[in-house]
Amino acid sequence: MDLKTQSFLLLVIFNGICASLQQVPQAFTSANPCTSKGKCHECIQTPSCAWCNDPNFEDNHRCFQPSTVTSQQKQCPEEYVVNPDNIESTLMNLTLSKAHKAGIISSGTLVDVAEGSYNHSGSWSASGSESSSWGGGEWGAQAGGKIVQLAPQRINLKLRVRQSYKIDMWYTQAEDYPVDLYYLMDLSKSMSDDKEKLSLLGDQLAYTMKNLTSNFKLGFGSFVDKVVMPYVSTLKDKLERPCEICVAPYGFRHHMTLSNNTHMFSDMVKRADVSGNLDAPEGGFDAIMQSVVCREHIGWREQARRLLVFSTDASFHYAGDGKLGGIVKPNDGRCHLSREGFYTESSYQDYPSIEQINLSVKKNSINVIFAVTESTIDIYKQLAANIEGSSVGKLEGDSSNIVSLIKEQYEQISSTVEMKHNASSAVSIKFYTRCLNSTGALVNTNKCGNIKVGDLIQFKVEVEVLKCPKNRDEHKQTIQIYPVGINESLIIDLEMLCECNCEKPGDRFYEENSPRCNHKGTYICGICECYPRAFGRKCECSTEEASRNITDATCVRPDGPPGVKCSNRGDCVCGKCQCHARKNDNERVYGPYCECDNFSCEHHDGKLCSGPDHGECDCGVCRCTEEWTGTNCACRKSNATCYAPDTSDGLLCSGHGVCECGVCKCDTTEDGRYSGKFCERCPTCSDRCIEYKDCVQCQMYRTGPLKDEHDCATNCTKFTPIPVKEVVANEENNEFKCAYYDEDECIFTYVYYFDNDNKLQVKAQENRECREKIFLPFIVIGVIAAVVLLGLAILLLWKLLTTIHDRREFARFEKEKMMAKWDTGENPIYKQATSTFKNPTYSGKG
């Protein structure tokens, strides 16, 4: 066999395998996600899809949407349909220790846990199956002495992919809930005054906490840092006594197991000696890890709110810092305490990482309270943001406010419930709740605040499988939903419905070497999976037969081009055409010679056959519905939409156009072009404003020729105007605006149009626009008076200006007169008419 023949055979085999998996599609729809699914597990992993196992279901897609099956389609018998439902079954639903209102959860059930056990992770495992009621709304009894604050406790859930399912979950804060408080203190020298203050406040701390809960225990531990350079001085003298009042340094020491003996706590704190180190950060992470994981040493109770108070005035070392001291072994997150309570691996293991601390705190349901001084509060706030259930409080320099700080932080923690989960990335979990607002809307949140003892909070937990993991072992998962800091949880045993039972050996629809597949394949869920060298819908073909049928003339269309097999859109396999698959799952090629398809028809407005509501494409021709016609199904068969409503003439398109595909095409005349939905508009022609004018006048304003109430009611029955403040015509809705003056010289405006039901609608202005009346004599008299007054004002102004001018001239004259150098009473150039002479020798005699 030459290379060309071998290549062709491989191509034929590949297409044959694809064709064997592909079923004949159901009626074409552009929104069906099921048609492309060729196997049962692919089908049920698609929302709203079901699979048909019927061996005789040959002519339709086996994966279908039950909600869209029509009477024309071949329906799968119900006994062959694989359409699994989401199933929830409650395994444990113990009564809450205390309910907020009687009867709220009276529909719940209890599971007998006499044979059950409670493990250290906070989850129940029970074998009992007997159930009883919640107790008629009364305070629920504690199950076996256990306090129950979360219900239900365990459920089994079977879910399909991408189908969300909601679960009701209840939380209440039990009365007098136990509290374990372990005080972890930095005992470097800088904290010596804090230690003295704490030893004096021990009784007060216990008294304060017992006011919050009578079931209270207190413990104590301390830390310094790793006893290696460069964290502490390893010189002999400094190692034994870092300072005058210091003892030898150590990593972490557990001093007192949780107890209700407050006097012992004060004594332990007082007897604990301070130590010293070299660098500023402390080894607090080692201490936190040991305090959390050494449960038996510390004395943490199974059911209690666990508080770890971490008190320091310095920052912290974390993973990687140990390399400075030559410590490269990672922290293993296990308990390493000696009988004396010392951390034995302090100098051999690195500091734990922040993530290790977070995981340990989550696993052991512990609330960490960082009581730190102002100088370090910012860095601890960043740390708290990465540790679940932790908080930060400001500690005074001498720890004098430690009691109030712990009380405040405890009240803040206990008054808040925050739900968390450990689901994998394949599962989405969302929380919805009304918190304490019973009448409010559900809010997408996992946190509620301001909770008091006895309050009942309902959470709706929405679980959705986003995808099926490739590893089949991950199809079953155990998910824990828990309130932060409380050792209780809702356990969900989740089974993802990713496979069909008929795909597993032993099922009646699973048969190897099946006669249905010509003994050349395995019959699985109604279809054949062929063995190597066999292919076809029922494995009826083999590679040998394919090589003999390469030139089979039965694949050539009689009325088509000679020699063209399967219309060049398929392969001739075993004497039959197997059409090529399209990239678009909604497109297909079919027919005995692959001569037909469902995508080559005419388009209108970008839609094949004008869209599925108008018709569908069948073998290159649009098959229209009853209401539509045309080669692209774009034309309406009826002309009813071309008649203008409320007209008496009944002319098609108002007599000014033709009806095409249910739409009026308006004429163009010498006077102008007609327009409008019914060709009723013309720039030079009258519209129907005058027709509705009288009725608008009488109905809205009681004016006009029909203002008489009887005449108005008799003649105006086509419409009732809708009053509006301002009339605006919307041309897109074919609204026509009309305006007229009435007998009172007032203008009134209205618009008319036809709604979607071709019913006449009129909107009219509420109030007419009337011009105010003008009294002409008053205007004339006013004008004359204004002219007279204006003239008088001008004369008075002229007189005033003249007087001012004269006075100025007279004043200037007076001024010049006073400044004259000659006497105004005698003329200096005047000469007498006679001259007198005197004889000097005359003596007067004679």
Side-chain angles (χ1 to χ4, degrees):
M1 184 180 298
D2 59 12
L3 181 61
K4 183 176 180 181
T5 304
Q6 291 178 357
S7 300
F8 185 80
L9 280 175
L10 289 174
L11 178 63
V12 171
I13 293 171
F14 175 77
N15 287 311
I17 294 173
C18 294
S20 67
L21 298 177
Q22 182 181 5
Q23 311 300 312
V24 179
Q26 62 191 43
F28 172 78
T29 79
S30 59
N32 191 343
C34 308
T35 55
S36 61
K37 309 305 176 185
K39 293 186 178 181
C40 186
H41 69 272
E42 296 175 351
C43 183
I44 66 168
Q45 290 180 24
T46 306
S48 74
C49 293
W51 180 265
C52 183
N53 279 336
D54 186 3
N56 299 319
F57 200 75
E58 299 284 348
D59 300 329
N60 296 66
H61 271 300
R62 289 187 177 273
C63 189
F64 64 97
Q65 285 182 312
S67 59
T68 60
V69 174
T70 63
S71 58
Q72 290 82 12
Q73 296 174 332
K74 181 180 179 181
Q75 298 190 20
C76 182
E78 186 174 354
E79 63 269 22
Y80 293 107
V81 175
V82 180
N83 189 19
D85 293 324
N86 299 326
I87 300 175
E88 175 191 356
S89 57
T90 303
L91 303 180
M92 179 167 292
N93 199 356
L94 302 178
T95 310
L96 294 174
S97 294
K98 191 172 184 180
H100 185 50
K101 292 182 181 179
I104 286 223
I105 33 180
S106 59
S107 61
T109 57
L110 287 175
V111 178
D112 186 1
V113 293
E115 299 179 17
S117 61
Y118 194 83
N119 58 37
H120 290 289
S121 66
S123 61
W124 281 89
S125 59
S127 57
S129 59
E130 183 180 351
S131 63
S132 61
S133 67
W134 274 91
E138 299 179 355
W139 300 129
Q142 298 180 8
K146 300 293 183 180
I147 297 176
V148 180
Q149 299 184 115
L150 190 69
Q153 293 78 40
R154 191 160 202 145
I155 64 173
N156 185 282
L157 195 59
K158 296 182 179 181
L159 286 185
R160 292 182 62 173
V161 181
R162 297 195 297 278
Q163 287 188 358
S164 61
Y165 189 86
K166 288 188 177 180
I167 304 167
D168 285 333
M169 182 176 67
W170 303 85
Y171 169 81
T172 187
Q173 186 181 143
E175 188 174 10
D176 210 27
Y177 193 70
V179 174
D180 290 345
L181 190 152
Y182 190 78
Y183 196 91
L184 184 58
M185 188 174 185
D186 175 9
L187 279 188
S188 57
K189 186 177 181 299
S190 60
M191 293 287 287
S192 59
D193 57 339
D194 301 75
K195 179 183 79 69
E196 298 300 329
K197 180 66 68 173
L198 182 62
S199 66
L200 299 175
L201 297 176
D203 290 336
Q204 182 183 348
L205 174 60
Y207 177 78
T208 301
M209 293 303 296
K210 284 187 176 181
N211 286 335
L212 301 175
T213 173
S214 62
N215 198 346
F216 172 69
K217 287 189 176 183
L218 190 62
F220 174 60
S222 64
F223 65 91
V224 182
D225 209 339
K226 293 184 180 298
V227 191
V228 295
M229 285 290 288
Y231 315 114
V232 301
S233 176
T234 54
L235 296 176
K236 183 177 181 181
D237 294 340
K238 293 292 183 181
L239 195 60
E240 294 177 355
R241 187 171 293 276
C243 63
E244 293 183 1
I245 61 172
C246 297
V247 298
Y250 54 89
F252 164 69
R253 183 179 181 184
H254 168 55
H255 295 271
M256 175 184 170
T257 302
L258 290 166
S259 170
N260 54 13
N261 189 338
T262 58
H263 299 292
M264 181 189 297
F265 174 81
S266 299
D267 185 58
M268 285 288 184
V269 175
K270 188 174 182 179
R271 288 166 51 189
D273 294 316
V274 297
S275 184
N277 61 333
L278 293 178
D279 61 344
E282 313 291 4
F285 273 22
D286 278 340
I288 293 176
M289 179 62 74
Q290 294 303 302
S291 300
V292 170
V293 300
C294 296
R295 299 180 59 173
E296 295 182 359
H297 295 79
I298 304 301
W300 296 116
R301 288 178 287 180
E302 287 296 339
Q303 278 207 310
R305 188 178 288 275
R306 304 165 184 171
L307 305 180
L308 177 63
V309 180
F310 182 87
S311 174
T312 184
D313 63 351
S315 59
F316 47 83
H317 284 295
Y318 51 89
D321 287 357
K323 294 180 180 180
L324 297 174
I327 303 174
V328 296
K329 182 180 179 181
N331 193 286
D332 60 7
R334 297 178 181 177
C335 179
H336 299 284
L337 291 186
S338 65
R339 292 183 178 180
E340 294 77 18
F342 287 100
Y343 176 36
T344 59
E345 295 294 315
S346 176
S347 300
Y348 306 102
Q349 288 189 7
D350 194 6
Y351 301 99
S353 65
I354 296 176
E355 183 59 25
Q356 280 181 299
I357 295 290
N358 181 45
L359 291 175
S360 297
V361 166
K362 287 170 57 177
K363 181 178 179 180
N364 293 276
S365 302
I366 292 178
N367 291 108
V368 182
I369 301 175
F370 294 105
V372 296
T373 55
E374 185 176 7
S375 61
T376 59
I377 195 168
D378 290 336
I379 189 172
Y380 278 95
K381 284 183 178 179
Q382 297 179 36
L383 175 62
N386 294 280
I387 298 179
E388 185 177 285
S390 62
S391 59
V392 181
K394 181 181 176 183
L395 187 68
E396 297 297 338
D398 59 351
S399 298
S400 58
N401 70 325
I402 187 63
V403 175
S404 59
L405 186 151
I406 292 175
K407 178 183 178 183
E408 178 184 348
Q409 293 297 319
Y410 172 76
E411 290 177 343
Q412 180 179 341
I413 292 171
S414 61
S415 64
T416 302
V417 59
E418 181 179 6
M419 293 296 174
K420 294 282 188 176
H421 63 85
N422 63 348
S424 67
S425 59
V427 182
S428 168
I429 295 183
K430 297 179 181 178
F431 298 92
Y432 297 89
T433 181
R434 296 183 177 89
C435 290
L436 297 176
N437 185 6
S438 59
T439 60
L442 286 172
V443 179
N444 182 8
T445 180
N446 65 330
K447 190 173 184 179
C448 291
N450 300 320
I451 300 173
K452 299 183 291 297
V453 172
D455 286 342
L456 188 64
I457 308 296
Q458 180 187 21
F459 286 93
K460 286 193 176 292
V461 185
E462 184 179 270
V463 184
E464 180 180 358
V465 178
L466 301 177
K467 60 181 179 180
C468 285
K470 294 182 179 179
N471 186 355
R472 289 187 176 181
D473 295 337
E474 297 179 12
H475 290 179
K476 292 185 178 181
Q477 297 185 6
T478 300
I479 300 173
Q480 184 180 23
I481 298 176
Y482 58 92
V484 174
I486 297 179
N487 195 23
E488 296 184 51
S489 61
L490 164 62
I491 304 296
I492 300 177
D493 296 318
L494 176 64
E495 180 181 351
M496 305 179 188
L497 300 179
C498 297
E499 295 180 306
C500 303
N501 291 329
C502 58
E503 293 176 315
K504 302 173 183 178
D507 189 85
R508 65 183 180 125
F509 293 105
Y510 187 96
E511 184 181 11
E512 296 182 359
N513 195 27
S514 173
R516 298 177 185 271
C517 305
N518 294 294
H519 298 283
K520 298 179 182 178
T522 303
Y523 179 74
I524 301 176
C525 300
I527 60 175
C528 289
E529 286 192 1
C530 303
Y531 297 148
R533 305 184 66 82
F535 57 95
R537 187 182 301 276
K538 296 183 179 180
C539 306
E540 68 275 14
C541 297
S542 64
T543 54
E544 292 80 4
E545 292 174 343
S547 62
R548 291 195 300 270
N549 292 329
I550 289 178
T551 58
D552 198 336
T554 58
C555 294
V556 179
R557 186 176 178 179
D559 57 346
V564 177
K565 301 173 186 177
C566 303
S567 304
N568 284 334
R569 300 201 290 184
D571 298 315
C572 185
V573 179
C574 297
K576 296 181 179 179
C577 286
Q578 292 186 350
C579 303
H580 294 158
R582 301 279 297 178
K583 292 182 179 179
N584 187 341
D585 294 333
N586 293 322
E587 296 180 356
R588 60 190 182 95
V589 178
Y590 57 96
Y593 305 100
C594 301
E595 73 278 12
C596 294
D597 62 62
N598 65 348
F599 53 84
S600 296
C601 299
E602 289 189 25
H603 287 68
H604 179 72
D605 289 338
K607 297 179 181 179
L608 186 69
C609 296
S610 302
D613 294 338
H614 291 225
E616 62 180 20
C617 182
D618 180 22
C619 204
V621 178
C622 286
R623 308 296 181 185
C624 304
T625 59
E626 295 181 359
E627 298 178 359
W628 301 92
T629 185
T631 56
N632 54 14
C633 301
C635 293
R636 288 186 180 273
K637 290 183 178 180
S638 173
N639 291 335
T641 55
C642 293
Y643 289 96
D646 294 330
T647 55
S648 58
D649 52 15
L651 295 177
L652 197 66
C653 298
S654 303
H656 304 299
V658 294
C659 184
E660 295 181 4
C661 298
V663 179
C664 285
K665 303 294 183 181
C666 303
D667 296 336
T668 301
T669 64
E670 296 180 356
D671 297 331
R673 183 180 183 276
Y674 283 89
S675 60
K677 184 177 180 180
F678 307 104
C679 301
E680 72 276 21
R681 301 181 64 180
C682 178
T684 58
C685 308
S686 61
D687 49 27
R688 303 180 68 176
C689 287
I690 192 66
E691 180 181 343
Y692 309 130
K693 170 178 173 292
D694 294 343
C695 289
V696 172
Q697 277 188 273
C698 76
Q699 290 177 320
M700 284 294 298
Y701 317 112
R702 301 301 180 191
T703 61
L706 300 177
K707 62 183 178 180
D708 182 73
E709 185 174 352
H710 176 73
D711 294 342
C712 186
T714 303
N715 294 283
C716 300
T717 58
K718 291 184 178 181
F719 62 89
T720 299
I722 303 171
V724 294
K725 291 185 178 180
E726 184 179 359
V727 174
V728 179
N730 187 344
E731 294 184 359
E732 294 182 359
N733 294 338
N734 289 318
E735 294 183 359
F736 299 89
K737 186 174 182 179
C738 312
Y740 293 98
Y741 282 97
D742 60 9
E743 60 268 25
D744 296 328
E745 295 298 323
C746 296
I747 189 171
F748 61 94
T749 309
Y750 61 93
V751 297
Y752 71 89
Y753 63 97
F754 298 94
D755 59 17
N756 295 332
D757 297 327
N758 281 336
K759 184 177 180 181
L760 175 65
Q761 300 290 343
V762 176
K763 293 188 293 186
Q765 190 169 315
E766 289 182 352
N767 300 312
R768 299 175 296 170
E769 298 179 9
C770 299
R771 294 179 294 181
E772 295 183 1
K773 294 183 177 180
I774 302 173
F775 191 62
L776 189 59
F778 283 168
I779 296 176
V780 174
I781 294 173
V783 172
I784 294 174
V787 172
V788 171
L789 290 175
L790 181 61
L792 289 174
I794 293 174
L795 288 175
L796 289 174
L797 181 61
W798 174 79
K799 182 62 178 177
L800 178 62
L801 294 175
T802 304
T803 302
I804 292 173
H805 180 267
D806 289 347
R807 287 184 178 181
R808 286 181 177 177
E809 289 296 324
F810 181 75
R812 185 166 43 244
F813 171 74
E814 289 291 333
K815 183 178 180 180
E816 291 179 353
K817 178 180 178 182
M818 291 175 64
M819 294 177 61
K821 296 181 179 180
W822 41 272
D823 186 4
T824 56
E826 183 178 348
N827 191 347
I829 63 173
Y830 175 76
K831 292 183 178 181
Q832 294 289 336
T834 60
S835 300
T836 301
F837 297 97
K838 187 175 181 181
N839 188 356
T841 61
Y842 176 66
S843 60
K845 296 180 178 180

